[in-house]
């Protein structure tokens, strides 16, 4: 499967029940690894210090009741039955909700947005204008009117993304550390801590070191490991229920929650931060929706994951209800309820399940950073696609090693489940609160439901999550400061980068060269035109960039064909192949100047190989053959021509269009059939053998003489080669700017720009054919 064809996989998901069950099986290893390992540390974190385990069992039964209803209301009711329906063309996650809102209300933060982007087939999905007098119309107009509300909405989405990144640091630490903590039952308390931390660090280092191989290489093991773990904990849970306390099911009544809070009061409220960990990983059901389907995720959770977790927690509660004489609180954990003969095998399975769960959250962190980068909210990073068959399997080297260092730091720094749980819980519940807030807007603006329903949704789930959030936040000094500090750092990076990028684009728009200046140079542009294609990379979607005038005033020659290339992102997950290229003329036809806008969704893979060059050239050729028929620079209005752009398919999808063929030049006569079938470049002196380029066009083409000559020039230029002209900007705050702006631009943005990756085009272009034009931007 092509990396870019992930958009089409959703159609495959609906083919048969066999496909649905296969996806449900696969989702167990990718989606539920984190959620399924939560029984390792929930009870241990809950009974750490805030409450005691007494012989009345009010505490343990109350905790079990809270766990059961939290699992039922949040993952089952909120995510499975409501949030999963808010997909963005099959994609899920915080940015999917933000993308939906951007399309239904004009709150898009991308400066390069065009009205032509709204014509994409996946852009307008059930978008209707509300009646002017409705509450929905007032909410929509308010969001579009006030810029500050749009910024708050963007900051809310970025906050959720930052907390997901923080979860990618904390979840592997607590999962692996809790799994390894089983050795505490085999040795004295003063000794086991010297073993747990080194072993956990070794497992974490191995986990991050293997990321570059990609999930797909060992992914076939994920689902069996998680299924084995779920069957293991559910079987142990059933055994404990029937052997120790068959009446533990009574604790599922909400009455025990009331008794728990009445008896424990402030301590019980503070212990909710540990209970919260039972829903760690619930957000993954929505975030990983793009790899599976709604039905498959629902089937996996309701039939296997949910009942297994409930049985596991009931079994632990049944065991603890009959055992109160523990030497210390650190022994109230998962492994104490496991029969002694099974502890070592269960320990091995638990470590494997923790690694699988950590792998899923790390991959999710890579995906969210890629989305942030695509939407201009994160510095450019190197994105490696580890699988050519599975869409979305990516690896980001810089982020991987940063995550590893931070993960080891919190593991070594905390060295216990309590503070790790406090930190992880706050990150988890913050993401859920962000999802709840965004969902309330989606219910009104996208689903067209009554505002009362949205208010009920945000009040019901918001109150539950706010209760857990307050219990986690109160433990700020006991570990909860970690996700706050991490999110502040990542938020600062995202805001500085987004602000600098926005100001830089505004400078480009204000200083772009007019088309009239270009026309004044004449067809030759006032200089010598040499063979080849000049590919000028620009972020502008209209007008001539200042880099071009800076270039032509310093060099006496330019290429015979000029292409102003803009690679940009649009607020949808995927753009179809046949809608990716938007091509048009700049000036009259004889100038041989084109504008090509390449559009990608925030989940699309950017091509950076020779195939992209061929697709680009063929899209221009197809535009010449079909889109520019009848254009005449002498008779047409220049401004109209400049804006007259059409969508052109690529050779991989537009099989009936022009195809590009390359011959090795050894036998030029064997290259063709008739003039109506192909257009070849003019013969060149046989100095040395080189590749010949030709366009194969459809039968009976209706091409006028001018277009045929234009195609010949394009082939000739392609055969001569492509030169990449890239801008190298130095951004500085203009004189008179405030101290804060100077710090943000001159220090923050400049540091990020110098240390981030170059653009995709710069990475793929050969160094021997690349020219960089330096400019200073005073913004």
């Amino acid at each position: 499967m092509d990396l870019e064809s992930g958009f089409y996989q959703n159609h495959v998901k609906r083919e048969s029940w066999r496909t649905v069950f296969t996806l449900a099986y696969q989702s167990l290893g990718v989606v539920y690894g984190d959620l399924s390992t939560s029984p390792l540390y929930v009870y241990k974190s809950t009974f750490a210090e805030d409450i005691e385990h007494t012989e009345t069992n009010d505490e343990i039964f109350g905790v079990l009741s809270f766990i059961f209803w939290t699992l039922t209301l949040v993952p089952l009711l909120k995510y499975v039955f409501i949030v999963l329906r808010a997909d963005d063309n099959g994609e899920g996650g915080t940015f999917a909700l933000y993308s939906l809102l951007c399309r239904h209300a004009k709150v898009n933060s991308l400066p390069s947005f065009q009205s032509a982007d709204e014509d994409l087939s996946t852009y307008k999905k059930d978008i209707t204008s509300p009646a002017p007098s409705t509450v929905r119309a007032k909410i929509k107009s308010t969001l579009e009117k006030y810029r500050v509300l749009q910024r708050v909405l963007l900051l809310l989405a970025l906050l959720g993304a930052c907390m997901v990144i923080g979860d990618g640091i904390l979840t592997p630490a607590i999962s692996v550390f809790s799994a390894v903590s089983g050795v505490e039952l085999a040795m004295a308390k003063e000794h086991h801590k010297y073993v747990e931390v080194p072993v956990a660090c070794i497992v974490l280092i191995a986990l991050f070191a293997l990321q570059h191989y990609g999930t797909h290489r060992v992914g076939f093991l994920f689902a069996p490991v998680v299924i084995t773990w779920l069957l293991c904990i559910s079987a142990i849970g059933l055994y404990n229920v029937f052997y120790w306390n068959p009446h533990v099911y009574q604790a599922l009544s909400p009455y025990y929650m009331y008794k728990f809070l009445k008896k424990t009061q402030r301590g019980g409220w503070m212990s909710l931060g540990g209970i919260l960990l039972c829903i760690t990983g619930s957000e993954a059901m929505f975030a990983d929706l793009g790899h599976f389907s709604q039905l498959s995720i629902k089937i996996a959770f309701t039939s296997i994951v949910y009942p297994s977790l409930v049985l596991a927690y009931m079994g632990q509660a049944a065991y603890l209800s009959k055992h109160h004489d523990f030497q210390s609180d650190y022994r109230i954990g998962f492994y104490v309820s496991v029969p002694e003969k099974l502890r070592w095998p269960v320990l091995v399975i638990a470590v494997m399940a923790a690694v699988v769960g950590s792998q899923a959250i790390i991959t999710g962190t890579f995906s969210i950073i890629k989305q942030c980068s695509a939407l201009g909210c994160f510095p450019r990073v190197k994105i490696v696609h580890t699988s050519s068959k599975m869409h979305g399997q990516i690896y980001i080297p810089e982020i991987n090693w940063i995550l590893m260092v931070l993960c080891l730091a919190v593991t070594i720094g905390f060295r216990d489940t309590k503070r790790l749980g406090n930190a992880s819980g706050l990150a988890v519940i913050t993401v859920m609160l962000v999802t709840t807030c965004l969902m309330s807007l989606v219910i009104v603006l996208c689903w067209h439901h009554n505002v009362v329903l949205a208010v009920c949704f945000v009040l019901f789930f918001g109150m539950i999550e706010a209760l857990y959030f307050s219990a986690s936040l109160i433990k700020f000094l006991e570990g909860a400061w970690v996700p706050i500090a991490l999110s502040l750092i990542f938020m600062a990076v995202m805001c500085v980068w987004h602000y600098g990028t926005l100001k830089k684009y505004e400078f480009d728009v204000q200083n772009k060269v007019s088309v009239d200046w270009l026309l004044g140079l004449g067809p030759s542009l006032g200089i010598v035109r040499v063979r080849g294609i000049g590919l000028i990379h620009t972020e502008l979607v209209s007008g001539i960039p200042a880099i071009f005038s800076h270039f032509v005033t310093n060099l006496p020659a330019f290429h015979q064909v000029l292409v102003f290339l803009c690679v940009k992102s649009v607020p949808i997950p995927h753009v179809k192949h046949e809608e990716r290229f938007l091509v048009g003329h700049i000036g009259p036809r004889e100038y041989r100047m084109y504008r090509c806008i390449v559009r990608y969704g925030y989940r699309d893979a950017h091509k950076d190989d020779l195939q992209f060059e061929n697709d680009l050239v063929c899209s221009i050729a197809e535009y010449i053959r079909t889109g520019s028929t009848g254009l005449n620079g002498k008779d047409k209005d220049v401004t109209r021509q400049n804006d007259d752009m059409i969508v052109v398919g690529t050779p991989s999808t537009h099989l009936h269009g022009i195809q590009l063929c390359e011959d090795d030049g050894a036998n030029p006569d064997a290259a063709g059939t008739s003039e109506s079938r192909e257009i070849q470049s003019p013969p060149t002196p046989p100095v040395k053998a080189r590749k010949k380029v030709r366009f194969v066009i459809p039968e009976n083409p209706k091409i006028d003489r001018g277009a045929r000559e234009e195609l010949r020039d394009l082939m000739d230029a392609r055969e001569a080669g492509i030169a990449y002209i890239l801008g190298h900007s130095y951004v500085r705050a203009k004189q008179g700017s405030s101290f804060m702006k100077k710090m943000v631009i001159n220090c923050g943005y400049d540091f990020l720009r110098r240390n981030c990756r170059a653009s995709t085009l710069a990475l793929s272009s050969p160094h021997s054919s690349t020219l960089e034009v330096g400019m200073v931007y005073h913004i």
Side-chain angles (χ1 to χ4, degrees), residues 312-599:
Y313 287 116
M314 288 178 64
Q316 290 185 60
Y319 180 89
L320 294 174
S321 67
K322 298 299 182 180
H323 296 79
H324 307 92
D325 55 345
F326 295 118
Q327 297 176 3
S328 58
D329 290 339
Y330 85 95
R331 298 181 71 89
I332 302 180
F334 169 76
Y335 290 102
V336 72
S337 64
V338 178
E340 190 171 353
K341 294 181 180 180
L342 298 177
R343 282 176 183 170
W344 284 106
V346 171
L347 174 64
V348 174
I349 300 173
V351 172
M352 295 175 64
V355 170
V356 170
S358 302
Q359 171 67 50
I361 193 65
I362 292 170
T363 303
T365 304
F366 292 157
S367 297
I368 200 72
I369 289 177
K370 179 181 181 295
Q371 293 178 32
C372 292
S373 180
L375 296 177
C377 297
F378 199 86
R380 291 183 296 267
V381 290
K382 182 180 180 181
I383 298 175
V384 180
H385 291 267
T386 57
S387 174
S388 59
K389 296 181 179 180
M390 294 182 63
H391 175 78
Q393 295 294 335
I394 62 174
Y395 167 69
I396 305 177
E398 304 97 321
I399 301 300
N400 182 66
W401 303 123
I402 291 174
L403 291 179
M404 186 190 77
V405 171
L406 294 175
C407 190
L408 291 175
V410 297
T411 303
I412 297 172
F414 287 156
R415 297 189 299 277
D416 63 62
T417 308
K418 172 194 167 187
R419 286 182 290 179
L420 283 172
N422 293 337
S424 179
L426 185 61
V428 168
I429 199 62
T430 304
V431 177
M432 292 183 176
L433 274 171
V434 170
T435 300
T436 300
C437 295
L438 294 177
M439 269 300 302
S440 62
L441 291 175
V442 169
I443 290 174
V444 177
L445 297 178
C446 306
W447 290 357
H448 312 157
H449 290 317
N450 196 297
V451 177
V452 177
L453 188 62
V455 172
C456 292
F457 175 86
V458 75
L459 285 179
F460 181 74
F461 293 106
M463 289 178 62
I464 296 173
E465 291 160 359
L467 179 65
Y468 283 116
F469 179 80
S470 62
S472 299
L473 193 60
I474 200 67
K475 297 184 178 181
F476 180 83
L477 298 178
E478 301 175 26
W481 62 269
V482 172
I484 295 177
L486 291 173
S487 62
L488 286 177
I489 294 173
F490 283 107
M491 180 72 79
V493 170
M494 290 181 179
C495 291
V496 167
W497 183 261
H498 181 69
Y499 177 78
T501 303
L502 194 62
K503 291 298 180 182
K504 181 175 175 291
Y505 187 85
E506 290 176 357
F507 180 89
D508 280 331
V509 172
Q510 294 170 1
N511 293 272
K512 64 183 180 181
V513 180
S514 65
V515 178
D516 294 334
W517 173 85
L518 181 66
L519 296 179
L521 298 177
S524 66
L525 300 181
I527 53 178
V528 178
R529 302 292 289 271
V530 297
R531 291 189 68 211
I533 297 177
L535 199 62
I536 304 169
H537 181 57
T538 176
E539 296 179 359
L540 292 176
V541 294
S542 64
I544 308 299
I547 179 181
F548 177 73
S549 63
H550 189 65
F551 186 85
V552 297
T553 54
N554 287 276
L555 288 179
F558 215 83
H559 299 85
Q560 68 186 98
V561 174
L562 296 179
V563 180
F564 291 89
L565 176 66
C566 174
V567 180
K568 71 170 191 175
S569 297
V570 289
I572 57 175
H574 301 285
V575 177
K576 292 182 178 180
H577 278 290
E578 55 267 28
E579 297 177 327
R580 189 171 306 288
F581 289 91
L582 195 62
V583 186
H585 272 117
I586 295 181
R589 174 187 289 182
E590 58 267 20
Y591 279 49
R592 303 296 191 254
M593 297 178 64
Y594 310 92
R595 183 184 309 283
C596 184
I597 299 174
V598 187
R599 301 175 291 187

Side-chain angles (χ1 to χ4, degrees), residues 26-33 206-226 288 291-292 355-367 384-396 400:
Q26 294 173 349
S27 70
L28 289 170
V30 177
V31 177
Y32 299 109
L207 172 65
F208 284 99
L210 294 175
Q211 289 299 312
H212 69 280
Y213 289 108
T215 303
H216 68 287
R217 297 184 186 274
V218 290
F220 66 94
L221 292 175
F222 285 5
V225 167
V226 174
D288 293 329
H291 303 301
F292 304 99
V355 170
V356 170
S358 302
Q359 171 67 50
I361 193 65
I362 292 170
T363 303
T365 304
F366 292 157
S367 297
V384 180
H385 291 267
T386 57
S387 174
S388 59
K389 296 181 179 180
M390 294 182 63
H391 175 78
Q393 295 294 335
I394 62 174
Y395 167 69
I396 305 177
N400 182 66

Side-chain angles (χ1 to χ4, degrees), residues 79-375:
Y79 280 94
V80 170
F81 290 109
I82 301 177
V83 176
L84 283 181
R85 295 176 55 232
D87 66 298
D88 182 13
N89 293 288
E91 297 292 337
T94 304
F95 270 95
L97 296 177
Y98 179 71
S99 175
L100 281 174
L101 294 173
C102 285
R103 301 208 301 273
H104 285 79
K106 295 181 180 179
V107 295
N108 186 22
S109 61
L110 294 172
S112 58
F113 184 77
Q114 298 172 280
S115 58
D117 298 336
E118 297 181 358
D119 296 329
L120 292 168
S121 59
T122 55
Y123 189 94
K124 290 186 176 181
K125 182 182 179 183
D126 300 329
I127 298 180
T128 57
S129 298
S133 59
T134 60
V135 179
R136 177 188 165 214
K138 294 179 181 179
I139 295 176
K140 181 176 180 292
S141 62
T142 303
L143 282 175
E144 295 175 349
K145 181 179 179 181
Y146 294 102
R147 186 69 177 172
V148 63
L149 294 179
Q150 299 176 20
R151 291 172 180 169
V152 169
L153 198 63
L154 177 62
L155 288 176
L156 197 62
L158 293 181
L159 176 62
C162 291
M163 284 299 178
V164 170
I165 298 173
D167 199 19
I169 296 169
L170 296 167
T171 293
I174 189 173
S175 298
V176 173
F177 189 85
S178 300
V180 173
S181 65
V183 300
E184 68 186 14
L185 298 177
M187 56 185 69
K189 180 180 179 181
E190 59 271 13
H191 295 150
H192 73 79
K193 285 193 174 181
Y194 296 104
V195 177
E196 288 179 359
V197 176
V199 173
C201 289
I202 291 173
V203 174
L204 288 172
I205 291 173
L207 172 65
F208 284 99
L210 294 175
Q211 289 299 312
H212 69 280
Y213 289 108
T215 303
H216 68 287
R217 297 184 186 274
V218 290
F220 66 94
L221 292 175
F222 285 5
V225 167
V226 174
I227 290 176
T228 303
W229 169 250
L230 289 172
L231 292 177
C232 177
I233 61 176
S234 58
I236 293 173
L238 273 174
Y239 168 79
N240 287 330
V241 168
F242 286 106
Y243 188 81
W244 295 110
N245 190 352
H247 300 288
V248 73
Y249 69 89
Q250 297 176 355
L252 302 182
S253 170
Y255 172 70
Y256 284 90
M257 291 192 291
Y258 167 75
K259 288 184 62 177
F260 171 78
L261 292 177
K262 182 179 179 181
K263 180 178 181 179
T264 57
Q265 297 182 358
R266 186 175 186 273
W269 168 61
M270 294 181 66
S271 69
L272 294 179
I275 299 174
L276 162 67
L277 298 176
C278 71
I279 53 176
T280 300
S282 299
E283 186 73 23
M285 287 191 287
F286 185 45
D288 293 329
L289 181 60
H291 303 301
F292 304 99
S293 65
Q294 293 183 27
L295 186 57
S296 62
I297 290 178
K298 290 178 180 178
I299 290 174
F301 183 79
T302 54
S303 63
I304 299 179
V305 179
Y306 178 75
S308 297
L309 290 176
V310 171
L311 287 174
Y313 287 116
M314 288 178 64
Q316 290 185 60
Y319 180 89
L320 294 174
S321 67
K322 298 299 182 180
H323 296 79
H324 307 92
D325 55 345
F326 295 118
Q327 297 176 3
S328 58
D329 290 339
Y330 85 95
R331 298 181 71 89
I332 302 180
F334 169 76
Y335 290 102
V336 72
S337 64
V338 178
E340 190 171 353
K341 294 181 180 180
L342 298 177
R343 282 176 183 170
W344 284 106
V346 171
L347 174 64
V348 174
I349 300 173
V351 172
M352 295 175 64
V355 170
V356 170
S358 302
Q359 171 67 50
I361 193 65
I362 292 170
T363 303
T365 304
F366 292 157
S367 297
I368 200 72
I369 289 177
K370 179 181 181 295
Q371 293 178 32
C372 292
S373 180
L375 296 177

Side-chain angles (χ1 to χ4, degrees), residues 599-625:
R599 301 175 291 187
Y600 287 96
Y602 57 80
R603 293 295 298 271
D604 278 329
H606 289 222
K607 283 190 174 182
D608 56 356
D609 52 10
L610 182 62
Q611 184 61 41
F612 177 79
E613 292 183 3
N614 293 337
D615 286 351
L616 178 64
V617 174
C618 284
S619 66
I620 297 174
E622 187 66 19
Y623 168 75
I624 294 171
R625 184 179 76 89

